Amino acid sequence: MNDPVLEIDGLCAGYGAQAIIENISLQLGRQEIAVIVGPNGAGKSTLLKQVFGLNQHLAGDIRFNGVSIVRLKTSDLVPLGISAVPQSSNVFPTLTVSENLEIGTYASPPADKKAARERVLDLFPDLRGKVRQAAGELSGGQRQMVAIGRALMSEPQLLLLDEPTAGLSPVYLEVIFDLILQVRKTGVTVLMVEQNARQALRIADTGYVLANGRHAHTGSGAQLLADNEVRRAFLGGGND
Ligand SMILES: Nc1ncnc2c1ncn2[C@@H]1O[C@H](COP(=O)(O)OP(=O)(O)O)[C@@H](O)[C@H]1O
Ligand SMILES: [Mg+2]
């Protein structure tokens, strides 16, 4: 691996004194895509939220470009280069696409906002004709593009995505995964939680299976897809 962008060592975290995730470790190199899969309630969102400074850190370390970030707040992490798309309610439905995107640059001067918006619209051309439309009028897939676009407005090095394809049709699912590959090409590292595990593992450099707040399996996306035990227990069996 090249110099890791994100290193998590022995992380325990939760919402109070009770640990929801325990002893989680992972490493993510620049421009890699890591996918976390696992049953509902396994702690996947908790792990992502912890990287983004959102819940109670209990033990272990999280380093971003070699620097510990466990004591930093979300508002400190965005300027450092970390951005996140939460699992739900990730766009403001009554605001326009353009306004939704600009929320991602609340700390930047106006000239930068315009440049950032152009950069994002180049990546998501489907949104170009819709910048003045209310986000709530868009399809689920387009709303997800707005949410990811908003997170990219601050030019993050590390993008955290919580179930970016939840509720999308199979066609849009492929569109969003293709977009994530495009985003990676622009230099971004991606840590993503996915319920559509098989499809997500196909684009993953590394996959982590989380069960009951602990690592159950780690491997390349291809290794996990080929692992009989993982397939039976976590991917619904079958060949594809
Ligand atoms: N805000 C919260 N306060 C207390 N417990 C929570 C909160 N959010 C989630 N949990 C609990 O943490 C566990 C893991 O949840 P979560 O990380 O959302 O799982 P996943 O994303 O894998 O479905 C669940 O038992 C859930 O009830
Ligand atoms: Mg979740």
Side-chain angles (χ1 to χ4, degrees), residues 92-110:
F92 293 91
T94 59
L95 299 186
T96 65
V97 167
S98 187
E99 288 164 343
N100 266 284
L101 292 179
E102 285 185 10
I103 287 169
T105 60
Y106 58 91
S108 323

Side-chain angles (χ1 to χ4, degrees), residues 101-102 104-120 152-155:
L101 292 179
E102 285 185 10
T105 60
Y106 58 91
S108 323
D112 290 353
K113 271 186 198 173
K114 195 152 180 282
R117 200 184 63 178
E118 283 308 300
R119 198 172 39 77
V120 167
L152 292 174
M153 290 286 282
S154 57
E155 291 197 57

